[in-house]
Amino acid sequence: MRIGLIGTGRIGSFHAGVLARHPEVESLVVADADATRAAGVAGALGAEAAPDVTALLGHALDAVVIASATAAHAELIARVAGSGLPAFCEKPIALDLPGTRTALRAVADAGTELQLGFMRRFDAGYRAAREAVRSGRLGRLHTVRAATSDPEPPPAAYLPLSGGLFRDCLVHDFDIVRWVTGREVVEVYATGSDAGPAMFREAGDVDTAAALLTLDDGTLVTVTGTRCNGAGYDVRMELAGERDQIAVGLDDRTPLASVEPLGPPAPGKPWPGFLERFAPAYEAELDAFVRLVRGEAANACDGREALAALRIAEACERSRRERRPVRMDEAAPQDALQDAPQDAPEPLRKTPREAPPQIAPQGAS
């Protein structure tokens, strides 16, 4: 299998390493707006470097992984789909609903596949939580608490381009709440604080936010996030039901210390960031994409899921601005591209350059 990768920044370089090691990827071609950086990544991995995207798409590829700057995602998705190739793309597709819909329409019109990079769906803890909810182990679910806390703010120049804390960061929580519970959000009530570094106020963003989500079965969900969690990178979910209560992300590296006399101390080596915390999940999602391209599995995270999570983020941002509860049907109308259930869609893919033999799926770490 021959795969192209667009974007060799931090996450793109990580993906390049995963793909270069994958037993079913025979060759890798990388491209970046910074050709020197792409050449460096290619040289370190024994891959090829293309001078630009046009050249990369001319390399007789079987699929493309998009890990470029956010602003380029939608255009690249359309270009890759127009070339008849399946694509994996880091979130988001776009920072607004119209741009997201346009890119998804291009994929639908081309009849290709788009897998989205919501990596938490491939994390062992979140998968176990989903099974606990779906099996009935927790009983009636009444409360969910989700949190994403970054250890330090991103560069100031990034903030005006990020779409804000709800769209850029908490969109992962909005997606995983839907995926784990199997329910849809019907109303949100959100607020935020810009009391931290001045660069957030200058960008019209907030450094800390909280949202109360009401699901369609009455379950209450709190989602909190901050860019200023000095203790370390902390991503957790707690799910409480009438029979049991469980937590995701609670281990010996969770940056949390108890002040109880018999409570656990602060971890000796807290999680420093998302790549370290979710490294196995990132590898698993790319393995799923390879199996999708080979025709061995359905799309594990269809690109249309981006619409549902972004609609929640849009509603939260509106609620924060207007200081009131916002129902989903008033914030962002449902889109026809998102109507079909996405748990296990039938694959719609182009025939690969060379059909590989059918083998047992590779295990993910």
Side-chain angles (χ1 to χ4, degrees), residues 103-128:
L104 291 174
R105 180 58 63 191
V107 173
D109 290 346
T112 57
E113 288 278 5
L114 172 63
Q115 182 179 325
L116 192 68
F118 278 141
M119 78 291 188
R120 295 187 194 182
R121 294 182 178 216
F122 298 86
D123 176 75
Y126 284 109
R127 297 181 75 87

Side-chain angles (χ1 to χ4, degrees), residues 68-282:
S68 62
T70 294
H73 286 184
E75 178 187 357
L76 290 172
I77 288 169
R79 289 188 66 180
V80 172
S83 298
L85 296 171
F88 171 95
C89 186
E90 276 299 324
K91 69 85 190 168
I93 290 176
L95 291 177
D96 59 17
L97 291 167
T100 302
R101 292 185 180 110
T102 297
L104 291 174
R105 180 58 63 191
V107 173
D109 290 346
T112 57
E113 288 278 5
L114 172 63
Q115 182 179 325
L116 192 68
F118 278 141
M119 78 291 188
R120 295 187 194 182
R121 294 182 178 216
F122 298 86
D123 176 75
Y126 284 109
R127 297 181 75 87
R130 173 183 163 100
E131 175 58 28
V133 172
R134 304 300 179 90
S135 69
R137 168 187 158 187
L138 305 184
R140 181 185 69 84
L141 192 65
H142 53 74
T143 307
V144 178
R145 306 175 190 92
T148 295
S149 301
D150 289 331
E152 59 185 16
Y158 173 75
L159 292 178
L161 309 175
S162 70
L165 189 59
F166 291 112
R167 299 185 188 92
D168 177 56
C169 181
L170 296 184
V171 71
H172 278 292
D173 296 272
F174 302 148
D175 174 72
I176 206 64
V177 164
R178 295 181 59 249
W179 189 75
V180 168
T181 66
R183 314 303 307 192
E184 296 294 343
V185 175
V186 296
E187 185 177 80
V188 310
Y189 195 5
T191 188
S193 168
D194 61 3
M199 63 182 183
F200 289 96
R201 293 185 291 279
E202 293 165 359
D205 196 6
V206 294
D207 60 80
T208 303
L212 173 63
L213 316 180
T214 302
L215 304 186
D216 56 16
D217 64 347
T219 301
L220 297 181
V221 181
T222 58
V223 178
T224 61
T226 184
R227 303 285 200 183
C228 305
N229 196 57
Y233 183 71
D234 188 9
V235 172
R236 280 178 287 133
M237 173 183 270
E238 299 171 5
L239 300 107
E242 292 182 333
R243 295 179 184 170
D244 202 357
Q245 181 173 230
I246 57 175
V248 179
L250 186 60
D251 58 25
D252 61 1
R253 298 191 67 181
T254 303
L256 181 69
S258 173
V259 294
E260 297 295 335
L262 300 179
K269 190 178 179 182
W271 294 111
F274 64 91
L275 276 181
E276 296 82 3
R277 165 67 176 84
F278 288 109
Y282 280 118

Side-chain angles (χ1 to χ4, degrees), residues 1-6 19 25-31 47-50 52-66 76 79-81 83-87 112 289 293 349-355:
M1 180 180 296
R2 188 171 175 82
I3 291 185
L5 181 140
I6 304 171
L19 292 168
V25 178
E26 298 167 358
S27 60
L28 177 68
V29 185
V30 303
E48 300 175 55
D52 53 39
V53 174
T54 299
L56 179 139
L57 292 176
H59 272 71
L61 303 172
D62 292 309
V64 175
V65 171
I66 300 169
L76 290 172
R79 289 188 66 180
V80 172
S83 298
L85 296 171
T112 57
F289 179 59
V293 176
R349 66 183 186 91
K350 295 288 187 179
T351 302
R353 178 166 49 89
E354 180 179 354

